[in-house]
Amino acid sequence: MTQTTPAAGPVVARTRDELRAARKQLTDGDVAVVMTMGALHDGHATLIRTARQAARHVVVTIFLNPLQFGPKEDLSRYPRTFDSDLEICTREGVDLVFAPTPDVIYPDGDPGVRISAGPLGTVLEGQSRPGHFDGMLTVVGKLMQLTRCDSAYFGQKDAQQLLLIRRMVRDLDFPVTVVSVPTVREEDGLAMSSRNTYLTESDHEVALCLSRALRAGAEHASEGPSAIRRGARAVLVREPLALVDYLVLVHPDTLEDVPEWYRGEALLAVAARVGTTRLIDNLPVLVGPGGGALEVFSSVPTAEPA
Ligand code: AMP
């Protein structure tokens, strides 16, 4: 067994045997997992910090899951920054990092049996990325089993992913508590993402229209759905270099467009291509009198773990 243990850092497990051995040591309390594809940033660090505040042990998985990338997507150019990822995990007090290669996760090649996201996996992101959510749920399910976690932390940034994971855990009786963490943003409002490294400086300026549109839409929350959509779209149309895939105001549980009479919580979500990069962002909004954004539009929380 070749386990590497950097000074005061997490145990790094690359194989199933290494994971099993390291996981066995985490017996004196509950285990939270933060699943990532690497190229960690402050959004991931916030997930880890939130998990650390609640759980005795934190496991971070770093796995670029081929199953959730389409043939024309960015798997080959996705940033790989393991050394700095490990530094962040060390800084945040992670107990165990599981960083397997695809042959460890899929020893028999692509799995014939997969978890199906069902109809919710075919809309919004699923429409542009067929099979993406089946691939994502399959690996999340496997990583929940392999890490034997009690809780798992996911970002609101990927709202459809979060919803589908909650559904999977409920529908398939995974004994795991799913916790969501609000979107962490750059100071200028751009939602943090590993894919932001693809953006040139001018792309970055263009990309700001996504978060601006969400904020503008939320300002009309008290007036109702069409005012929210109109407010958001007005920002997007002023930025022709952002090629909008969708801008929707949907029910947070069904992802169906909310009707004009709707009052209550909704999700304002946007996807657009900027340069060579597909970006997504969303904002939970309370629609109706006294309504507005349900997420504080702030940058990285600086709070230290309790
Ligand atoms: P990824 O490595 O992009 O697959 O993301 C791993 C986890 O981090 C997922 O649960 C994401 O939703 C979450 N995440 C990514 N970016 C952010 C962000 N800006 N704020 C909060 N969570 C995030």
Side-chain angles (χ1 to χ4, degrees):
M1 197 171 66
T2 53
Q3 246 164 243
T4 355
T5 312
V11 173
V12 177
R14 298 222 175 243
T15 66
R16 285 166 181 252
D17 284 346
E18 289 171 5
L19 175 64
R20 210 171 291 126
R23 175 64 183 81
K24 237 188 238 163
Q25 306 301 313
L26 309 179
T27 49
D28 57 333
D30 61 328
V31 171
V33 69
V34 175
M35 297 179 192
T36 80
M37 299 200 298
L40 301 189
H41 48 68
D42 278 324
H44 299 113
T46 303
L47 260 63
I48 296 170
R49 227 170 281 158
T50 310
R52 269 204 60 79
Q53 285 171 4
R56 173 76 181 85
H57 298 290
V58 178
V59 176
V60 170
T61 66
I62 299 179
F63 179 57
L64 208 39
N65 176 33
L67 220 57
Q68 70 190 68
F69 284 78
K72 291 190 182 138
E73 290 182 4
D74 58 342
L75 177 61
S76 59
R77 71 163 180 155
Y78 199 88
R80 290 157 169 87
T81 60
F82 186 73
D83 291 346
S84 100
D85 293 350
L86 201 53
E87 271 173 36
I88 291 171
C89 289
T90 301
R91 186 188 79 203
E92 299 297 339
V94 171
D95 298 84
L96 168 59
V97 169
F98 180 43
T101 46
D103 58 305
V104 170
I105 296 296
Y106 305 115
D108 304 318
D110 280 3
V113 174
R114 302 179 188 200
I115 297 177
S116 163
L120 276 181
T122 63
V123 297
L124 304 182
E125 283 307 283
Q127 193 153 30
S128 301
R129 308 183 68 189
H132 166 70
F133 286 119
D134 292 2
M136 178 280 292
L137 288 179
T138 301
V139 84
V140 168
K142 282 168 76 77
L143 290 171
M144 283 179 173
Q145 304 273 28
L146 288 167
T147 59
R148 291 189 287 113
C149 59
D150 301 290
S151 56
Y153 287 68
F154 297 95
Q156 172 66 32
K157 155 85 167 43
D158 299 283
Q160 192 173 6
Q161 163 174 292
L162 173 63
L163 172 65
L164 283 165
I165 292 168
R166 284 193 191 285
R167 289 293 271 265
M168 174 185 79
V169 162
R170 208 168 56 225
D171 291 351
L172 302 182
D173 296 301
F174 279 74
V176 177
T177 302
V178 173
V179 183
S180 71
V181 177
T183 302
V184 178
R185 298 174 181 281
E186 306 283 356
E187 287 201 1
D188 57 16
L190 183 69
M192 289 191 181
S193 163
S194 305
R195 290 190 168 95
N196 289 354
T197 56
Y198 302 151
L199 300 174
T200 63
E201 235 172 83
S202 60
D203 287 342
H204 187 120
E205 281 306 306
V206 173
L208 292 178
C209 72
L210 273 72
S211 51
R212 285 189 186 132
L214 298 177
R215 221 172 339 188
E219 279 168 14
H220 295 274
S222 60
E223 299 158 50
S226 56
I228 297 172
R229 293 181 180 114
R230 222 174 15 246
R233 191 158 295 281
V235 173
L236 294 176
V237 296
R238 285 203 301 271
E239 188 44 89
L241 294 178
L243 305 177
V244 178
D245 180 359
Y246 59 78
L247 169 73
V248 293
L249 182 71
V250 293
H251 192 281
D253 298 331
T254 64
L255 302 183
E256 284 172 8
D257 286 331
V258 294
E260 191 52 23
W261 50 260
Y262 181 82
R263 297 293 178 266
E265 194 175 333
L267 190 69
L268 185 57
V270 62
R273 183 166 292 279
V274 175
T276 59
T277 310
R278 188 165 186 286
L279 297 171
I280 58 171
D281 199 353
N282 72 82
L283 190 60
V285 173
L286 182 66
V287 184
L294 285 171
E295 212 167 86
V296 185
F297 223 85
S298 67
S299 58
V300 190
T302 49
E304 286 301 307

